[in-house]
Amino acid sequence: MVDLKGQYEKIKEEVDRGIHQVIDSTQFVNGQAVKDFQTDLEKYLGVKHVIPCGNGTDALQVAMMSLGLRPGDEVITSDFTFVATVEVIALLGLTPVLVDVDPLTFNIDPEAIERAITPKTKAIVPVHLFGQSADMDAVMDIAHRHNLFVIEDNCQAIGADFISKEGWTKKTGTIGHIGCTSFFPSKNLGCYGDGGAIFTNDDEIAHQLRGIVNHGMFVRYYHDYVGVNSRLDSIQAAVLKAKLPHLDEYCNARRIAAEYYDKAFENHPNLIIPTRFAKSTHVFHQYTLISKGVDRAALIDFLGKSDIPAMIYYPVPLHMQKAYIDPRYKEGDFPVTESLSLTVFSLPMHTELDEEQLHLITSKVLEFLS
Ligand SMILES: *Cc1c(COP(=O)(O)O)cnc(C)c1O
């Protein structure tokens, strides 16, 4: 699904130099590389504070911890997402409230958010799924009217722009109170291990976040909060510092591959190509098609025989996952998510796809469907 080796070959010198500098400095934790990357990312995103941390799941957890949410508080998020989003809500003893998504953009449905609000609701976690922004105009409007926090799960959309109806454009992850991202190797900005970051424009929240990722400690060995230990290590920061200047180019390469797929599949009676949300650029973390009347398992099997990986993100809606079975929800409650989980599939998407590979992938898909 990704080609990290090919991407590395092109930036080998910068990456290797950065890693060797860290080794020479022996500042493996909280070294200069982490500070430099943090500053670079703040500039790139146009956000006041970036707080690096251990991974995207920690980013979400620490974000929720920093807002003073208490057990029983309700947090609204999408039923159609990677499990981490709801996992941290549950771990903190908060109550996840799931809502359905838009059938074409796969992102959280603002009307469904509105219907799910109760006096206990404290926060909304929109997920910018597969590389494009949720409708942040609508989400922020709901949040303002109901006095709710917004934590953006930007793990799949770093680099995407949201274009507001009010005329401004901002990077996804910098619009709500807090944004979270992951630098897992296969993400659009990936390191060579685990990594994550939290963004905010709010000085007070930034202060809390910095303390919580560091054992709830603001002054050495004085612990004001129950915190966690969540750090981005310096070697990963060096890799990310080398890769960040290429992020826009990487997003572009993904877009070009997506356009190739689009041309091959548009108007096909059995396929719906990814819908572009008018208020967002798309950075194509995934290229996800909706199949109609297709034996999806057989298609994936057929592609596998030609060494073409295809994946299903996500095969089971969160409300039907064993760990999250809840008497509040039953099969049929989230018809869009349930239908998507049965029909979507994702094709290889990365920065190194060439025409030959794209030609093979598209012709094999079309061959199966013919
Ligand atoms: C990858 C991902 C995460 C978790 O990131 P990790 O770094 O793997 O912990 C959370 N949410 C979404 C939507 C993701 O895609």
Side-chain angles (χ1 to χ4, degrees):
M1 294 295 282
V2 295
D3 177 5
L4 297 172
K5 187 81 201 279
Q7 192 190 59
Y8 167 65
E9 297 296 343
K10 295 183 187 154
I11 52 167
K12 189 173 179 334
E13 237 170 84
E14 297 136 81
V15 170
D16 291 3
R17 196 183 327 117
I19 291 176
H20 282 288
Q21 275 169 3
V22 173
I23 297 172
D24 282 337
S25 76
T26 68
Q27 290 187 317
F28 296 113
V29 169
N30 289 334
Q32 191 58 39
V34 178
K35 293 183 193 93
D36 290 347
F37 169 64
Q38 177 188 319
T39 315
D40 291 355
L41 189 58
E42 283 165 354
K43 275 197 205 114
Y44 174 84
L45 293 170
V47 74
K48 209 160 162 198
H49 305 280
V50 165
I51 295 95
C53 65
N55 56 64
T57 309
D58 279 3
L60 289 162
Q61 178 178 332
V62 170
M64 283 177 214
M65 289 171 78
S66 76
L67 297 174
L69 306 185
R70 288 169 195 287
D73 286 350
E74 293 178 355
V75 179
I76 297 176
T77 194
S78 156
D79 190 36
F80 190 58
T81 174
F82 180 58
V83 69
T85 327
V86 71
E87 185 175 53
V88 301
I89 299 172
L91 267 177
L92 292 173
L94 309 172
T95 305
V97 173
L98 300 171
V99 300
D100 216 342
V101 295
D102 179 275
L104 292 173
T105 65
F106 311 127
N107 275 325
I108 198 160
D109 174 0
E111 283 173 26
I113 298 178
E114 194 107 43
R115 284 195 298 273
I117 291 174
T118 75
K120 288 188 184 159
T121 308
K122 290 288 154 56
I124 309 170
V125 185
V127 183
H128 305 308
L129 203 71
F130 301 150
Q132 67 181 346
S133 183
D135 187 350
M136 291 305 289
D137 282 332
V139 171
M140 294 313 290
D141 175 58
I142 295 169
H144 286 140
R145 279 190 284 110
H146 296 272
N147 200 20
L148 307 174
F149 290 114
V150 175
I151 301 170
E152 295 170 73
D153 182 341
N154 197 37
C155 291
Q156 300 191 1
I158 193 159
D161 288 316
F162 177 74
I163 305 110
S164 165
K165 63 169 194 253
E166 284 158 29
W168 49 261
T169 295
K170 285 185 192 169
K171 290 283 177 206
T172 54
T174 69
I175 303 157
H177 300 86
I178 306 182
C180 297
T181 206
S182 163
F183 303 125
F184 187 75
S186 63
K187 301 285 156 111
N188 287 33
L189 179 62
C191 58
Y192 295 166
D194 272 310
I198 315 165
F199 328 136
T200 186
N201 283 307
D202 184 308
D203 297 340
E204 183 51 34
I205 292 175
H207 179 69
Q208 302 292 339
L209 291 167
R210 286 200 182 96
I212 292 168
V213 294
N214 191 25
H215 300 291
M217 178 167 81
F218 297 96
V219 178
R220 197 151 207 179
Y221 304 126
Y222 290 79
H223 304 276
D224 297 0
Y225 294 95
V226 176
V228 296
N229 168 24
S230 188
R231 296 186 279 240
L232 180 71
D233 73 68
S234 305
I235 288 184
Q236 300 309 334
V239 172
L240 290 164
K241 189 175 149 45
K243 283 179 81 170
L244 180 59
H246 300 279
L247 178 58
D248 286 342
E249 182 191 307
Y250 291 160
C251 293
N252 237 359
R254 287 169 178 272
R255 256 179 233 126
I256 290 168
E259 279 159 21
Y260 190 104
Y261 283 142
D262 279 354
K263 283 208 187 79
F265 302 136
E266 67 192 346
N267 305 320
H268 193 288
N270 299 113
L271 297 172
I272 301 177
I273 62 171
T275 301
R276 311 303 200 269
F277 178 43
K279 289 197 237 175
S280 175
T281 58
H282 203 321
V283 295
F284 285 98
H285 176 60
Q286 300 296 347
Y287 186 87
T288 302
L289 292 147
I290 302 173
S291 63
K292 293 187 291 182
V294 174
D295 181 345
R296 187 177 58 167
L299 167 62
I300 291 174
D301 208 46
F302 177 82
L303 295 174
K305 290 198 177 101
S306 304
D307 290 324
I308 300 167
M311 297 287 286
I312 299 170
Y313 306 112
Y314 294 95
V316 182
L318 288 177
H319 74 285
M320 287 160 69
Q321 293 281 1
K322 211 164 153 190
Y324 298 98
I325 297 273
D326 187 305
R328 289 175 299 155
Y329 303 123
K330 58 180 187 319
E331 199 173 337
D333 281 355
F334 304 100
V336 178
T337 300
E338 288 175 28
S339 154
L340 291 174
S341 68
L342 296 172
T343 53
V344 291
F345 67 101
S346 301
L347 292 174
M349 175 48 77
H350 54 82
T351 56
E352 310 306 308
L353 283 165
D354 58 31
E355 280 217 30
E356 197 185 324
Q357 292 168 316
L358 290 164
H359 176 73
L360 175 74
I361 298 165
T362 51
S363 27
K364 285 288 167 188
V365 172
L366 294 172
E367 185 187 328
F368 178 85
L369 295 175
S370 67

